[in-house]
Amino acid sequence: MRTKTLKKNKINVVTLGCSKNVYDSEVLMGQLKANNKEVVHEEAGNIVVINTCGFINNAKEESVNTILEYVQKKEEGEVDKVFVTGCLSERYKPDLVKEIPNVDEYFGTTELPSLLKALGADYKHELIGERLTTTPKNYAYLKIAEGCDRPCSFCAIPLMRGKHKSTPIKELVIEAEKLAAKGVKELILIAQDLTYYGLDLYKKRNLAELLEALVKVEGVEWIRLHYAFPTGFPMDVLEVMNRELKICNYLDIPLQHISDRILKSMRRGTTKDKTTKLLKEFRAVVPNMTIRTTLIVGYPGETDEDYQILKAWVKNMRFERLGCFTYSHEENTHAYNLEDDVPEDVKIARANEIMEIQSQISWELNQGKIGQEFKVVIDRKEGNYFIGRTEFDSPDVDNEVLIDATKTYLKTGEFATVKVIEAEDFDLYAEVV
């Protein structure tokens, strides 16, 4: 009697979008591994799971194109099954089912147990922090909360991720310990809104207490804060940042705009004066803090006057790190009721001008670093350079430090002390001390 050969399935997880999606993919992969499934990240596999982004137009387009690419591979017999999860599929599932029916199944952001079942695996509740990290071994994202309770007019995240839900401190410490045991030296704390952390669980903003617990984890040398909301920011966090060497003097705080008229329409709950005062307080308490922010230009009703207010403020505030995006008109958001009246070419011109200003500010700040010494972590080697980062730089979005690999050997994932010898707009060149 002939037996049918059983082909061993290999599951390929493809991640699109932000660091929160990276984290979710890693959790999915950890669950699959615990079920003895063969799983890879963005390598060849006969079963594909695409973790999509549905935040703004460009991201949605990339997600749809990726789905179509793998559906094509399925039709050509290169892959057997295609599953889609994440924000796009949470937000547009009925449309996707209709438009791209050749996907085996679509899952939303909260349907991990169902997705695992479709992949022939059980959801294991006992797993805390058993993730298959996809980042370089020296750093990992630690998602401390899911969802968002803020009412920002332009943002679709609450539609896709639901209400704010903090993860208990105890669980986050266990997860951090497991990451440290695997050689992770830098934890990048992420959430839709770090400022809100703990309000649902502890009835108070509890980010400072979480940081106090995480600094005790052996092996972790840097803890970095991403995505804080300006309204209601817990100032005790700055005291912990100042006191604890492990907490990077770095804060990512998306401010979006500064014209009072636009801030009100955006439903940000703050004003130009309040925001400026907050940033001055940050700098007073932590004098060498690096502040990263993101801005949106071309929001409905943004006049040239609103834009000039923003432009002058960017010049005046001299942010160490800044990104600028054009407004994306998202259905089912509050701002969707407004007319998307700023022409696309005006949006792009405004964003480019802000980034030009920032480029000059960054160049000037970097010139001041020549001759200074910094502790850097080495992320990778590229060509003739080792690429490192200071505590003032987050991976993928910030400045990098380039060290000549023909003169010095450095180990990726390790720390080194370097002296800056040259500086460009966004990158530093250094030699090992």
Side-chain angles (χ1 to χ4, degrees):
M1 183 178 136
R2 279 171 62 197
T3 55
K4 195 176 170 192
T5 328
L6 286 174
K7 185 164 85 170
K8 188 158 165 51
N9 289 323
K10 189 193 274 189
I11 301 164
N12 172 23
V13 178
V14 177
T15 309
L16 302 164
C18 67
S19 51
K20 273 86 78 186
N21 263 18
V22 170
Y23 181 93
D24 292 346
S25 287
E26 291 174 352
V27 169
L28 165 65
M29 291 165 69
Q31 286 277 349
L32 289 167
K33 194 185 175 195
N35 277 273
N36 297 317
K37 299 286 181 188
E38 191 178 355
V39 57
V40 291
H41 189 248
E42 298 179 354
E43 294 173 27
N46 66 310
I47 293 174
V48 181
V49 180
I50 305 164
N51 190 1
T52 58
C53 177
F55 186 43
I56 55 173
N57 287 336
N58 292 353
K60 289 189 279 193
E61 206 173 293
E62 186 191 12
S63 291
V64 168
N65 289 340
T66 306
I67 297 167
L68 291 170
E69 179 196 329
Y70 280 101
V71 162
Q72 178 74 26
K73 286 184 177 179
K74 184 184 166 187
E75 283 164 8
E76 289 165 1
E78 280 183 56
V79 300
D80 297 331
K81 288 188 171 181
V82 177
F83 297 99
V84 174
T85 185
C87 290
L88 189 82
S89 124
E90 175 72 38
R91 196 171 169 195
Y92 298 109
K93 190 174 176 178
D95 300 337
L96 288 166
V97 169
K98 204 166 87 189
E99 297 295 326
I100 316 176
N102 210 357
V103 165
D104 289 85
E105 217 172 326
Y106 289 95
F107 297 92
T109 52
T110 57
E111 296 181 297
L112 178 59
S114 307
L115 170 57
L116 287 165
K117 200 174 172 187
L119 295 165
D122 295 324
Y123 179 70
K124 297 190 180 292
H125 291 274
E126 67 276 14
L127 296 186
I128 296 178
E130 264 79 7
R131 283 156 50 200
L132 283 189
T133 48
T134 59
T135 46
K137 67 172 184 167
N138 49 293
Y139 70 86
Y141 296 108
L142 185 65
K143 185 157 72 167
I144 68 167
E146 183 56 275
C148 187
D149 285 0
R150 305 283 185 179
C152 304
S153 66
F154 53 84
C155 185
I157 282 170
L159 300 172
M160 300 181 285
R161 294 278 179 177
K163 301 290 268 178
H164 179 96
K165 192 170 172 237
S166 305
T167 302
I169 291 175
K170 197 174 155 189
E171 284 182 26
L172 292 168
V173 169
I174 292 169
E175 192 167 342
E177 286 168 349
K178 286 180 179 173
L179 289 166
K182 289 201 288 189
V184 169
K185 295 186 172 74
E186 177 181 3
L187 295 176
I188 303 173
L189 269 52
I190 56 170
Q192 253 70 46
D193 177 10
L194 291 181
T195 306
Y196 219 82
Y197 177 79
L199 265 177
D200 52 333
L201 287 181
Y202 309 109
K203 305 300 171 241
K204 61 177 182 139
R205 298 177 195 273
N206 222 13
L207 183 57
E209 198 177 318
L210 170 63
L211 293 173
E212 298 271 20
L214 290 174
V215 294
K216 296 187 178 85
V217 176
E218 278 183 44
V220 170
E221 292 194 39
W222 281 355
I223 297 170
R224 186 179 301 284
L225 302 179
H226 264 254
Y227 320 122
F229 196 90
T231 314
F233 185 85
M235 298 304 276
D236 54 351
V237 166
L238 301 181
E239 290 156 32
V240 182
M241 187 182 277
N242 229 353
R243 190 173 69 245
E244 295 290 349
L245 288 175
K246 285 187 178 186
I247 300 169
C248 298
N249 290 331
Y250 178 101
L251 183 66
D252 186 326
I253 184 160
L255 297 168
Q256 315 304 6
H257 214 282
I258 206 60
S259 155
D260 283 343
R261 210 176 62 80
I262 298 294
L263 287 172
K264 190 177 179 184
S265 181
M266 284 181 164
R267 303 165 86 186
R268 295 287 288 170
T270 189
T271 62
K272 181 185 178 191
D273 285 350
K274 279 184 190 167
T275 302
T276 307
K277 184 171 173 277
L278 179 73
L279 296 174
K280 283 181 177 164
E281 279 184 62
F282 284 179
R283 298 214 185 278
V285 180
V286 188
N288 65 338
M289 179 198 262
T290 281
I291 299 175
R292 154 168 276 283
T293 195
T294 42
L295 303 170
I296 295 171
V297 289
Y299 179 85
E302 183 189 62
T303 61
D304 189 56
E305 188 188 347
D306 293 317
Y307 170 65
Q308 294 302 331
I309 290 168
L310 178 67
K311 192 171 115 178
W313 187 76
V314 168
K315 283 182 180 174
N316 189 33
M317 294 308 292
R318 293 177 68 79
F319 288 99
E320 289 81 2
R321 312 282 181 259
L322 181 145
C324 188
F325 300 91
T326 56
Y327 170 76
S328 179
H329 208 43
E330 296 297 315
E331 57 266 78
N332 299 325
T333 61
H334 190 77
Y336 198 67
N337 303 317
L338 305 172
E339 189 193 342
D340 187 11
D341 56 357
V342 181
E344 195 59 31
D345 59 333
V346 174
K347 288 180 186 176
I348 291 165
R350 286 176 182 174
N352 288 342
E353 191 177 17
I354 295 284
M355 287 317 293
E356 271 298 308
I357 293 164
Q358 183 57 30
S359 178
Q360 180 62 29
I361 292 168
S362 183
W363 184 83
E364 289 165 12
L365 293 173
N366 278 352
Q367 295 309 303
K369 291 175 183 161
I370 295 172
Q372 287 189 29
E373 291 183 8
F374 293 94
K375 178 182 174 180
V376 296
V377 67
I378 307 303
D379 280 340
R380 63 189 189 283
K381 183 174 181 281
E382 246 175 50
N384 287 331
Y385 288 99
F386 286 106
I387 314 289
R389 283 178 298 111
T390 69
E391 71 170 290
F392 310 110
D393 301 293
S394 208
D396 300 328
V397 289
D398 290 331
N399 298 2
E400 292 180 325
V401 182
L402 286 76
I403 302 135
D404 192 336
T406 61
K407 294 179 183 169
T408 316
Y409 174 73
L410 292 166
K411 231 171 150 182
T412 55
E414 297 295 324
F415 288 92
T417 303
V418 300
K419 185 178 179 178
V420 178
I421 51 173
E422 201 185 320
E424 292 179 350
D425 295 6
F426 294 109
D427 290 329
L428 304 171
Y429 290 83
E431 57 191 19
V432 174
V433 175

